[in-house]
Amino acid sequence: MEDYLTATLLGSAWGLLTRYLMLKSDYRQFPGYPHGYVTHLSLGLVASLLGSLAIPAIFEKEFTAVTFLSLAATQFRDVREMERKTLSSLDMTKLVPRGPDYIEGISRVFEARNYLSMLMALIVSGTAYIFSLQAAIPVGLAVLLLAIRLMRGEVIQDIATVRPGEIRFKGPNLYVDDIHVMNLGSEGARQKVMERGLGVVIEPKDDDARSMLANAGQRMAIAHDAALQLGIYKDVDTPEFMPILRRDLDTGRVVMVIVPIEMDMECLLLAVSRVPVLESAYSRPLQSRAGAGAAD
Amino acid sequence: MMETSLSKYILAIITREAGLVSGGGAPVFMARDKEEQEKIALYLTRITGGVIHDLENGVYILVKH
């Protein structure tokens, strides 16, 4: 009896720790309010409690208890729904919206992190129960590090090179390098873009990257993250200063024009390089025979 | 609450020459010179949230994106 208790407690604590570390590991994806912390830590605690109970339940031949795990899965699907709803409704009041793809990605991550805490709790409590408490700690550390490493997705700099681009106007038409971005009619707006605007060129490293950058949701995510980190010279009634990303159809390069508050090119390049590659944009045409053959 | 609005829609046309624009669903504003045209366009963009585009023939259009 005593063994169950220690194993379960250790497992739950470990699961909760996992959830906490994952809340901290990704500041951009986290809502940031204290209430958000409470919600997600509580759900993490529930998940890890359920996970840590599974192995002792099996040893007690209480097989029905394990079906609780499936109940938990339903619960955590609601987490995704909850995050999606919250973030989508908040997105409408953002100057530079995240976009549906980014929100879907964040929601999925939040759901998956609960399963991860559950799994962590299961592994740690199982090890503690079957082997010993001393064995559980190193095993827990190992799987935790592994999980954090495996869950880290790719970022833009893994799939593309990000470099400064030159902004210029031909009449009312705005170009970055040779790529047409938009037609800007107002003289005042053109002056502001010339004074304060920064241009960035994102060059895909291969055909897979090219197709990922083609995704409009991925481009919205880049605009949102860049605007969030450097500030945006825009208000609700100045839509002309919305950061815009356009694709060069011939080469697959993507250019961005942004009018930030902080005109720091180094930081802008850094911000763009660190934007996560979204799950919905992630594609590998080179893996297919047709895709690889067509690419030569 | 979902906000529903039209997009890619011409909200207004500001022209210096009457003959270049005719008919259509958007209101047409006549301007006497380029300065006045810029001013009208700026007012309208702030009020409607549309973006000014220059058709390079003396006609500006305001488009909701």
Side-chain angles (χ1 to χ4, degrees):
Chain A
M1 194 63 208
E2 193 68 4
D3 287 348
Y4 291 158
L5 195 64
T6 26
T8 309
L9 282 180
L10 186 70
S12 325
W14 205 270
L16 190 63
L17 176 77
T18 311
R19 188 71 196 86
Y20 178 68
L21 288 178
M22 293 204 166
L23 271 183
K24 301 210 69 160
S25 69
D26 203 342
Y27 73 99
R28 256 169 295 187
Q29 303 207 336
F30 184 65
Y33 318 115
H35 290 93
Y37 267 99
V38 174
T39 312
H40 290 294
L41 285 179
S42 318
L43 283 165
L45 183 66
V46 173
S48 23
L49 264 174
L50 286 169
S52 62
L53 283 173
I55 299 282
I58 289 174
F59 272 89
E60 277 294 300
K61 301 208 165 36
E62 293 282 351
F63 298 117
T64 43
V66 182
T67 55
F68 267 93
L69 291 180
S70 63
L71 193 74
T74 329
Q75 280 293 323
F76 298 129
R77 223 172 30 232
D78 292 344
V79 172
R80 188 204 291 201
E81 189 60 36
M82 177 184 82
E83 282 302 318
R84 187 196 289 128
K85 254 191 195 151
T86 319
L87 292 173
S88 320
S89 51
L90 292 179
D91 219 28
M92 281 185 282
T93 52
K94 285 216 180 337
L95 286 177
V96 183
R98 280 198 174 94
D101 294 60
Y102 202 177
I103 289 177
E104 195 55 43
I106 295 172
S107 318
R108 276 188 203 171
V109 165
F110 269 91
E111 183 189 6
R113 283 174 179 176
N114 280 306
Y115 298 135
L116 271 179
S117 330
M118 204 195 285
L119 196 66
M120 285 302 152
L122 191 139
I123 291 172
V124 169
S125 80
T127 318
Y129 182 68
I130 299 168
F131 300 102
S132 68
L133 282 180
Q134 284 79 9
I137 303 285
V139 168
L141 273 178
V143 284
L144 181 63
L145 289 178
L146 191 71
I148 289 179
R149 215 185 137 64
L150 290 181
M151 290 301 128
R152 188 168 295 155
E154 288 190 341
V155 291
I156 291 295
Q157 67 180 357
D158 297 331
I159 63 160
T161 21
V162 184
R163 60 171 175 85
E166 188 205 349
I167 292 182
R168 62 199 166 77
F169 280 97
K170 274 186 209 161
N173 292 304
L174 171 59
Y175 289 81
V176 171
D177 284 9
D178 288 323
I179 302 162
H180 181 252
V181 178
M182 72 183 299
N183 174 306
L184 207 50
S186 151
E187 185 62 47
R190 286 204 288 268
Q191 272 172 14
K192 270 284 174 252
V193 170
M194 281 312 283
E195 270 170 37
R196 302 193 60 112
L198 295 177
V200 170
V201 182
I202 307 168
E203 280 178 52
K205 286 181 180 163
D206 58 16
D207 288 15
D208 286 342
R210 190 175 66 195
S211 98
M212 293 183 221
L213 287 173
N215 183 296
Q218 179 66 57
R219 286 187 258 161
M220 279 179 94
I222 296 173
H224 172 266
D225 273 2
L228 185 78
Q229 289 171 57
L230 279 92
I232 184 78
Y233 189 83
K234 173 182 185 290
D235 196 4
V236 284
D237 60 351
T238 52
E240 62 268 32
F241 296 132
M242 180 71 122
I244 290 188
L245 285 96
R246 286 287 179 266
R247 178 178 190 226
D248 179 18
L249 299 181
D250 295 325
T251 60
R253 278 182 304 172
V254 166
V255 295
M256 173 168 78
V257 175
I258 183 169
V259 189
I261 299 278
E262 307 287 349
M263 291 179 288
D264 188 327
M265 183 51 96
E266 285 297 306
C267 297
L268 178 62
L269 294 179
L270 186 69
V272 173
S273 312
R274 296 276 170 85
V275 176
V277 175
L278 302 181
E279 196 184 338
S280 54
Y282 195 81
S283 54
R284 288 245 173 265
L286 287 181
Q287 297 291 318
S288 72
R289 195 194 286 180
D296 322 310
Chain B
M1 193 188 72
M2 281 295 288
E3 189 192 340
T4 315
S5 67
L6 290 164
S7 64
K8 303 281 176 200
Y9 183 80
I10 301 184
L11 298 168
I13 300 160
I14 307 109
T15 179
R16 295 201 295 272
E17 273 182 66
L20 290 172
V21 185
S22 76
V28 180
F29 294 85
M30 295 294 301
R32 274 175 286 260
D33 49 37
K34 193 163 168 61
E35 198 185 333
E36 194 185 37
Q37 188 181 23
E38 279 276 337
K39 204 165 84 180
I40 296 173
L42 191 67
Y43 286 157
L44 289 176
T45 190
R46 293 290 173 270
I47 296 163
T48 60
V51 179
I52 308 163
H53 296 290
D54 183 355
L55 300 186
E56 294 186 79
N57 60 349
V59 180
Y60 283 10
I61 57 172
L62 230 80
V63 179
K64 182 91 178 169
H65 288 283

